[in-house]
Amino acid sequence: MRILLVLLFAATAGVPALAAMDQVKGTGLPRSKLLDEFLAGPMADVDEIIFACRQLNYDGHWYANFGYYADSAERKAYRAMGRLCKLNIRTGEVTVLLDAPEGTIRDPQVHYDGQRIIFSYRKAGSGHFHLYEINADGTGLRQLTDGVYDDIEPTYMPDDSIIFCSSRCKRWVNCWLTQVAVLYRCDADGGNIRPLSSNNEQENTPWPLPDGRVLYQRWEYVDRSQVHYHHLWTANPDGTGQMVYYGNFHPGIVMIDAKPIPGTQKVVAVFSPGHGRKEHDGQISIVTPKAGPDEPASAQPVGKQKNFRDPYPFSEDCFLLAQASRLLVMNSRGQSVQLYRLPAGLARVGVQCHEPRPLLARARERTIPSRIDPQQKTGRLVLTDVYNGRRMEGVRRGEIKKLLVLETLPMPIHYSGGMEPLSYGGTFTLERVLGTVPVEPDGSAYMEVPALRGLFFVALDENNNSVKRMQSFLTVMPGETTSCVGCHEQRTRTPINMSANALDALKGPPRKITPIAGIPEVFDFPRDIQPILDKHCLSCHDYEATEQGGPRAGGVLLGGDRGPLYTHSYYTLTIHRQFADGRNQPKSSLPPRSIGSSASPLMKKFDGTHYGVRATPRETDMIRYWIECGAPYPGTYAALGCGMIGGYAENKQDVSDWQWPETVAAAGVIRRRCAACHNKFLPLPLTLSDNRNVPPWDGQPGYVPRHLIFNLTQPEKSLVLLAPLSRRAGGYGLCRDKEGVSFKAETVFADTRDLGYQSILALCVAGKDYLDTIKRFDMPDFRPRPAYVREMKRYGIVPEDLPAEALIDVYATDRAYWQSLWYNPDPDMNLTK
């Protein structure tokens, strides 16, 4: 196949483009009036355009197009057959500037002088994309960046620096199997590389605005849906002033490849439907930001088709773009004319056109001076008035006493599209408690925060309960001082012009974050919360409880016995909605006290009003701040993809139990002895991993969850055994045999000698034995997946020669990984350029 591709490229290199401008030459068709209008009008100065060709990626995600997949470093997210081409739109002649049949070429951008082109290039035999520059005539190819990471989507800045996206951030998508790239900056020669972002998720397609800011796509999800928030943001070229540009309140679309329209204050962008399509395909749209970032009418589609990409605007009525194997020019009414089509032989093997740009000199944008101090580890944040914002109804002045400062923690590896086992339908991300800062009586706050870290805030009342929660994050650059008007401020309001002395918080130096004594920075449910439940809850909510109605009071189990994915207690608290988290929903800017500790019934269970149960102040704080951190199950990312029987489809390590002989036997018993009742009404899972007909993360009545009925710590305590076992034999006697339409008097299992009972018990024992073998994060001798260790070696966190059988402290390893990403001043790095 490789030889065939090389021959195919060689056969088309240097040949006149028979498919170019098929409405002008090569077909006998009359010249297009629309094209004539373009060439005589907004494209009058354009003779040549450059574009890239490469094979279409297999992965359907817009961001999964570099690096390798988590399950195997040999499984790549990119393909080959790369070309950098130049098309003369007057003659139709195509010149191949760089031919890479076994490499990949992407993201070309033309320099202001019109004589140089920067692009991202993966050479044949290499696994990484780096930045390269080439002259417009195809001479002078030179490499700008190198290393074991990927550098993509570069754009020239007016001071000749380069902003691009890079996987040097050393993190993985929190809901997929590929790596993340965020904004970086380097000098014109590729040196002095420095980060501009702390995002945990993907950032894409930076491009300078006329005022000197950078416009880009930012994907984020802080306690809200992972597939709905990927919109347009801006920042200054030094990374300061990061701010939403458009769309963050409108979930359900990827806004990407945005560029300013000359002579206007509008931008053109691709609106890629839903969670986005591969290669950024979507609908061309024009955004007018004058009405603010939240006005739906500010975005207007151009035409109806949703399979265009890479628009380049010449005017409000003329856009150069790519569509599959074609290059087009389109007007604002969606009418288009073809400029070029790839030869059929290339199109048949999946090669498509990408990133067309005019080969033309252009004016430089405004240069914004840097506002950072690279020798500082921190920045400063001013909050004008915490009460001045959206959805603050019912919040009285003076009610908010402090801000809880939390950090979203990068993920070193991920194996699936799900959050398991970090939560059950909730957070995808671990969060660190940094501490609190005071809010002054006038609602202002002034704080010093660590630079280049993903931070967000929770407004707390006098009892430290949540009043309002931020569901986004901010980044402060080294030495930066930035501000916000209020809690979820209105972006169309200008700040009140007042002297520094008008704010109580500015009458002194910035407050440092005060750590919260007695609580962990990162919560781990079995370690930190389960002991509290053991102490206060098991007298009622356990298998053999004797108080408040006997075993399993209220049908609730709060013991720490393990189910197939979670402990029974963690799962129970989740499906009974005992904590209020974002639930992975496409909702944000929620009303006060609707999320977090104030909205969590679990807090009331420990204040003395629930059968006299009263936790100590420290125990109450443990529960409170665990909830504010998203109520995670493990406190380490090493738990991902481990210790689960069943789960998200991509967890290939977790072998299905459907083929176990114990499963076959037990499933037969359940079908024969239980299905008469547990069919459409309260259907029973047939195996430890059976999720059929069950909406994910749904705890609604009408379904018996596998997470509760199988006990893999004490198999004989499994509810699938206790419920149908007679009371005299030690069971609950809840289920009875059924014949026809009437119940027999006898329970399903009269005693433990019943062969059906023994078959189901054997399945539960097999599950325990299997879990004891594969290990869960809170079990002795736990080992993370090899890919976790592989990445930690790549990041320099564990020794390269660490033996495969070595045990590591995964909590300490995670901490060392996070700390390795913290900003530390480098005397050789110049961030002010």
Side-chain angles (χ1 to χ4, degrees), residues 19 22-23 51-52 87 305 307-310 320-330 336-342 347 351-356:
D22 65 1
Q23 295 188 19
F51 63 98
L87 168 68
Q305 289 182 271
N307 60 347
F308 298 111
R309 65 172 77 109
D310 308 317
L320 176 66
L321 44 84
Q323 181 192 51
S325 60
R326 303 194 301 160
L327 300 179
L328 309 171
V329 187
M330 177 186 290
S336 64
V337 58
Q338 178 177 295
L339 292 179
Y340 173 73
R341 182 190 292 272
L342 282 171
V351 178
Q352 296 195 356
C353 294
H354 304 266
E355 300 105 19

Side-chain angles (χ1 to χ4, degrees), residues 455-466:
L455 307 178
F456 68 104
F457 305 99
V458 181
L460 303 179
D461 63 17
E462 61 184 355
N463 297 314
N464 293 327
N465 290 322
S466 59

Side-chain angles (χ1 to χ4, degrees), residues 32 144 180 192 253 277 315 328 340 365 406 455 510 557 589 604 624 686 722 762 782:
S32 164
L144 301 182
V180 164
N192 195 25
I253 200 161
R277 296 177 178 173
S315 72
L328 309 171
Y340 173 73
E365 299 83 10
L406 300 173
L455 307 178
L557 281 174
S589 189
K604 297 293 292 182
R624 171 184 293 111
L686 298 177
L722 292 175
F782 165 74

Side-chain angles (χ1 to χ4, degrees), residues 122-420:
R122 182 194 62 81
K123 281 189 170 182
S126 171
H128 301 290
F129 288 90
H130 294 119
L131 303 187
Y132 283 75
E133 203 170 43
I134 196 171
N135 295 332
D137 62 1
T139 64
L141 178 67
R142 49 201 172 274
Q143 184 172 346
L144 301 182
T145 63
D146 57 16
V148 295
Y149 301 101
D150 294 278
D151 304 321
I152 60 173
E153 299 176 345
T155 189
Y156 287 113
M157 298 303 294
D159 63 353
D160 280 331
S161 67
I162 301 161
I163 289 181
F164 59 102
C165 300
S166 179
S167 67
R168 297 170 188 270
C169 56
K170 303 178 183 178
R171 60 202 65 182
W172 288 65
V173 174
N174 287 16
C175 63
W176 198 234
L177 303 79
T178 54
Q179 299 171 55
V180 164
V182 302
L183 293 187
Y184 274 72
R185 189 182 185 190
C186 67
D187 294 345
D189 61 0
N192 195 25
I193 297 175
R194 59 274 196 193
L196 302 181
S197 172
S198 64
N199 197 354
N200 287 348
E201 295 297 346
Q202 197 76 28
E203 293 171 340
N204 287 97
T205 59
W207 200 274
L209 289 169
D211 63 10
R213 292 179 298 161
V214 179
L215 179 65
Y216 62 101
Q217 183 277 141
R218 166 168 144 171
W219 180 22
E220 61 167 39
Y221 42 100
V222 178
D223 301 327
R224 56 181 180 171
S225 170
Q226 93 275 21
V227 295
H228 284 85
Y229 296 93
H230 7 57
H231 299 106
L232 298 179
W233 287 69
T234 60
N236 295 326
D238 63 355
T240 61
Q242 296 182 23
M243 184 68 65
V244 64
Y245 183 83
Y246 183 76
N248 201 37
F249 272 71
H250 303 297
I253 200 161
V254 177
M255 301 178 185
I256 200 164
D257 283 308
K259 302 173 187 68
I261 299 175
T264 76
Q265 294 184 346
K266 304 175 182 180
V267 303
V268 64
V270 172
F271 279 29
S272 194
H275 189 37
R277 296 177 178 173
K278 66 172 63 178
E279 299 295 357
H280 308 179
D281 276 5
Q283 189 171 32
I284 305 302
S285 299
I286 296 176
V287 177
T288 306
K290 281 187 175 182
D294 307 323
E295 175 54 53
S298 294
Q300 294 297 319
V302 177
K304 296 181 179 180
Q305 289 182 271
K306 298 180 180 180
N307 60 347
F308 298 111
R309 65 172 77 109
D310 308 317
Y312 189 99
F314 295 104
S315 72
E316 289 186 78
D317 199 36
C318 183
F319 308 102
L320 176 66
L321 44 84
Q323 181 192 51
S325 60
R326 303 194 301 160
L327 300 179
L328 309 171
V329 187
M330 177 186 290
N331 64 19
S332 59
R333 296 172 296 285
Q335 299 171 320
S336 64
V337 58
Q338 178 177 295
L339 292 179
Y340 173 73
R341 182 190 292 272
L342 282 171
L346 292 177
R348 278 197 299 269
V349 294
V351 178
Q352 296 195 356
C353 294
H354 304 266
E355 300 105 19
R357 325 283 196 218
L359 188 58
L360 193 68
R362 57 194 169 93
R364 295 175 186 256
E365 299 83 10
R366 172 177 173 245
T367 299
I368 300 177
S370 179
R371 295 196 288 121
I372 69 172
D373 180 353
Q375 298 309 309
Q376 299 293 321
K377 290 186 177 182
T378 61
R380 289 161 296 281
L381 178 65
V382 180
L383 169 63
T384 303
D385 184 0
V386 72
Y387 303 100
N388 182 6
R390 312 170 199 250
R391 304 302 302 271
M392 296 298 287
E393 58 266 26
V395 180
R396 305 182 310 276
R397 283 203 166 268
E399 187 174 348
I400 297 172
K401 301 300 184 182
K402 62 184 72 170
L403 297 178
L404 175 65
V405 185
L406 300 173
E407 178 182 4
T408 64
L409 294 171
M411 187 175 285
I413 187 72
H414 197 74
Y415 310 99
S416 78
M419 73 285 289
E420 300 97 334

Side-chain angles (χ1 to χ4, degrees), residues 598-617:
S598 289
S600 297
L602 185 61
M603 294 298 296
K604 297 293 292 182
K605 300 296 193 297
F606 293 94
D607 67 358
T609 62
H610 181 71
Y611 298 101
V613 174
R614 186 179 296 277
T616 67

